[in-house]
Amino acid sequence: MTSSPPPSLAHVVPVIIGGGAGSRLWPASRESFPKQFIPLFGERSMFQKTLERVRDCGLRDPVIVTHEEFRFSVRRQMDSVGVSGAILLEPVRRDSGPAIAAAARFVQTRAADALVLVLASDHLITDLDAFRSAVARAAAAAATGRIVTFGMIPDRPHTGYGYVKPGAGLHDGVHAAERFVEKPDAPTAARYIAEGYLWNSGMFLFRADAFLAELGRLAPTMAESASRAVMLARPDFDFIRLDAGAFAQAPKVSIDHAVMEKTTMAAVVRAAFGWSDVGSWAAVWAASTRDTNGNSTRGDVEVLDSRNCHVQSAGPLTVVIGMSDAVVVVEDDAVMVASRDMSEKVKPVVEKLKQQGHAAATRSRRTQRPWGYYHTLDLGKRYQVKRIVVDPGARLSLQSHAHRAEHWVVVSGAAVVTVDGQERCLMENESAFIPRGAVHRLANPGKVPLELIEVQSGAYLGEDDIVRYEDAYKRV
């Protein structure tokens, strides 16, 4: 049982930034379902771990800022760990500056005295007690009007992180932030560490009014656009949609460039709580449990005469023999093999694949839906085969298709199938035929997931061939 949090933490509202393209951990992570939502360490995703962390620290319910495409994934993963909170939807991606500005304004409208703790949804933190202590120290400084960042005590020169130089001491491990610098080359990183610089974690804690005042002074267009986006926001199902016109007027810039590098109110708290931004496959290997030969594995994997490798497979049996310092990642539609020290080169490769029009560069064969997900098993010119999994108690929209027919075969669980007003229950090994043009629905009335195989046939098989008549998730 954890001890009661310091009183100041009860005033802290976590803001979790849940966007991102996810290309650095391709092919397991894709633009359609990035790394924060996939389980890289154990059974929980990093987003779920972040939610559990703020809950276990005794903070207020979080505010999540995410892109529209991820909204149902965010809601489902919040429900899975029993954490509630507001979900703000960005109409367009505008980097961290406008996202944090809108969240701060939103928090201010709900709790004028609140402190705001900005966290990424895809960072790994292993020492909860040290994290709680650092947040408490940062909160004390933020209460005085400081805009505090968390500076990680480095254990080696790292070219993948920005750095912050601590200046004059304020109190209890908190310093004025003297200088922020971008990702350096290796010799410069070594010099920074010798000079006492800290890794810039990209996490912040501030009083909402103090931050918004500085933002208004240093980046007035961003401040005004974010404020208007919140004031004109509208509720939509379980979400809050920021106004698209207002938000689009905000410049696309990071919070470091917009505020932290310019303000005289920046502070940094020295911290060491097992932090990683998990920004490469080398970082995944470093944060994973490894065997006596230094290998980390996940999935159906066999490693022989190999050392210091990370090998994972999402399905196919993967065997690695006689390799050292390698990364092997296998998905059902893509395989990536790289030397571990070159794993940060994945992102430019993904950009090249996107330019060449490879669908696998951005989308996986598993597609998330508010009711569950489907996985494309085979796709031909006039047919498509999917494995569909529907969550307990969930149902698809009442819909029809103009260009395709569908066959459903239940593999496990129970299904309620409605076709042109006629409803029947299907059990394991039973099937249903959905003619082209029929108004139909699929629902899971049970307490376990429903799994079925769907075979589509027709002249056109695109996902836009759907007419929805009724939808519990208010999609169009």
Side-chain angles (χ1 to χ4, degrees), residues 265-452:
M265 299 303 294
V268 56
V269 57
R270 293 171 58 87
F273 40 69
W275 172 86
S276 171
D277 73 345
V278 199
S280 68
W281 284 113
V284 174
W285 171 83
S288 298
T289 301
R290 298 186 291 277
D291 64 19
T292 55
N293 291 317
N295 299 309
S296 58
T297 60
R298 184 177 181 88
D300 196 0
V301 166
E302 193 67 41
V303 178
L304 179 65
D305 294 335
S306 297
R307 294 183 177 277
N308 302 322
C309 294
H310 177 77
V311 185
Q312 72 174 57
S313 174
L317 170 62
T318 301
V319 179
V320 171
I321 302 172
M323 297 184 71
S324 298
D325 303 305
V327 174
V328 179
V329 182
V330 179
E331 296 289 314
D332 61 357
D333 61 340
V335 177
M336 192 278 296
V337 180
S339 61
R340 208 177 71 243
D341 62 356
M342 294 289 286
S343 64
E344 291 188 6
K345 300 290 186 180
V346 172
K347 186 173 181 178
V349 170
V350 172
E351 290 302 315
K352 183 177 180 179
L353 293 174
K354 288 168 66 175
Q355 294 171 6
Q356 295 172 348
H358 285 282
T362 58
R363 309 199 74 83
S364 68
R365 292 189 176 182
R366 176 179 289 199
T367 301
Q368 301 295 320
R369 286 291 183 258
W371 41 260
Y373 67 88
Y374 68 81
H375 191 114
T376 300
L377 303 176
D378 197 7
L379 177 63
K381 187 175 181 180
R382 291 182 61 88
Y383 73 91
Q384 183 169 201
V385 182
K386 295 178 178 179
R387 182 170 68 93
I388 297 177
V389 177
V390 184
D391 293 336
R395 61 179 184 172
L396 283 65
S397 61
L398 186 66
Q399 60 185 257
S400 66
H401 310 295
H403 303 287
R404 69 174 185 252
E406 296 173 343
H407 297 256
W408 294 340
V409 180
V410 175
V411 175
S412 63
V416 172
V417 177
T418 304
V419 181
D420 287 336
Q422 299 296 312
E423 184 178 288
R424 66 189 180 107
C425 184
L426 299 182
M427 304 304 291
E428 185 175 323
N429 294 325
E430 295 182 330
S431 63
F433 172 62
I434 316 300
R436 180 169 58 88
V439 177
H440 62 280
R441 165 175 274 158
L442 174 66
N444 179 3
K447 296 182 179 181
V448 297
L450 161 66
E451 182 176 349
L452 56 86

Side-chain angles (χ1 to χ4, degrees), residues 173-192:
V174 182
H175 298 254
E178 187 174 304
R179 185 187 180 202
F180 289 84
V181 292
E182 295 297 321
K183 298 174 182 178
D185 57 23
T188 305
R191 177 168 59 83
Y192 285 159

